[in-house]
Amino acid sequence: MAKQKKLSKGQSRRISANHQKRLHKAKQQKADSKDITWQSDNLGPSEYAVVISRFGQHADIETEQGEILRCNIRRTVKSLVCGDEVFFRRAKVSEGDLAGVIETTEERRSQLTRPDFYDGVKVVAANIDQILMVSAVLPEFTPHIIDRYLVACEDMGIEPILLLNKVDLLDEQSRQHIDEILNIYRKLGYQVLSVSNKTGEGIEALKHQLIGKNNIFVGQSGVGKSTLVNTVLPNAEILTKEVSENSGLGQHTTTVSRLHHLPSGGNLIDSPGIREFGLWHLDVERVTWCFKEFREFIGGCRFRDCKHLNDPGCMLIEAVSSGNISELRFDSYHRILESMADGRAGARAPRV
Ligand SMILES: Nc1nc2c(ncn2[C@@H]2O[C@H](COP(=O)(O)OP(=O)(O)O)[C@@H](O)[C@H]2O)c(=O)[nH]1
Ligand SMILES: [Mg+2]
Ligand SMILES: [Zn+2]
């Protein structure tokens, strides 16, 4: 076996120096992240604000007067994400670029979550009122992916809107075909909008739908989300802002969510963090419940452990036969269960 080559003095020195540098950086970071001991007499009264972006130990908040302030966060605040409503106190003498400290959060109306391999379920944004699920005939119109998103929306209790983009690419026949599929969702009470960035069709209706709400666009890569964001938010130059976090032991880049105001009122949260809508944190019963038209049949099957597959006396299968549940949705349901069973439910399907 070849003898390992000895490092030259220069090499050793460089390695050692790099190591020291990393240690120093790690220490520095630790010190930076420590609570600044905001003295009470340096802090003004409690004020309301909304978190527009969160990164590391800091957050940018917007006050009711429209000021954007960078604050740090009391340790007692356990979770803080874009969209959170908070109370903070302004410093009379600021600490570097930090204008104050966030002390408490309001209870959330909703949480946008994604399953995280390490943390279980991770909250990505708070107080989202509506999720616009974008689909398009190009790259491909896939109702099964729509159903995956709908399961996630139902689970989170956030209103979904089905947004069919690129309708300019549809001829009469394909338009009719897709419309028939979309009718399944309309009948279930989901709102459907058809738009085109190219011709402008439906864009006014879309803008109207966003007013007064916290919105987010989701959908597979290539369906036109970025284009739509630019259409409704013409001056957003800062959309996918990347914050480089140096852990001291190597760089890793995280992309932060950010809340933007829409010109016609309402907000858009741009969240590259929700690229994957994994469903593997849900159990089978929850998935069944998330198909909302299944709910009235749950518990009615002959066997308590009915798999709703080919079990005798299955109420869901009966509902499919009688047309009360669409075959397409039933098929999606089983696809989701299959993907959960073989560990693919967390696999990257839909992307932002
Ligand atoms: N024909 C047509 N193409 C569109 C429309 N909206 C977006 N596109 C195109 O679709 C492609 C993907 O758009 P992009 O916004 O990057 O999709 P994203 O991956 O979902 O963000 C781009 O080439 C766009 O120009 C539309 O309404 N009609
Ligand atoms: Mg994009
Ligand atoms: Zn059954």
Side-chain angles (χ1 to χ4, degrees), residues 20-31:
Q20 288 305 321
K21 219 158 58 191
R22 275 201 297 273
L23 278 180
H24 176 74
K25 251 188 182 163
K27 257 190 195 158
Q28 191 64 41
Q29 186 130 36
K30 222 171 161 188

Side-chain angles (χ1 to χ4, degrees), residues 76-128:
T76 44
V77 175
K78 289 297 171 223
S79 169
L80 192 78
V81 293
C82 183
D84 261 323
E85 297 173 9
V86 299
F87 285 94
F88 78 105
R89 289 172 73 192
R90 216 183 273 259
K92 290 168 191 156
V93 181
S94 54
E95 290 269 1
D97 63 346
L98 297 175
V101 60
I102 296 166
E103 301 206 310
T104 56
T105 53
E106 290 277 81
E107 204 178 314
R108 291 170 180 157
R109 295 196 299 282
S110 70
Q111 301 193 126
L112 192 76
T113 54
R114 77 179 157 85
D116 182 88
F117 188 75
Y118 298 102
D119 300 342
V121 175
K122 203 174 161 129
V123 181
V124 182
N127 301 321
I128 299 275

Side-chain angles (χ1 to χ4, degrees), residues 165-169 195-198 220-228 352:
N165 187 28
K166 309 195 192 183
V167 291
D168 56 281
L169 296 177
V195 301
S196 165
N197 282 300
K198 211 159 189 178
Q220 281 179 293
S221 185
V223 294
K225 293 173 305 294
S226 300
T227 316
L228 281 167
V352 167

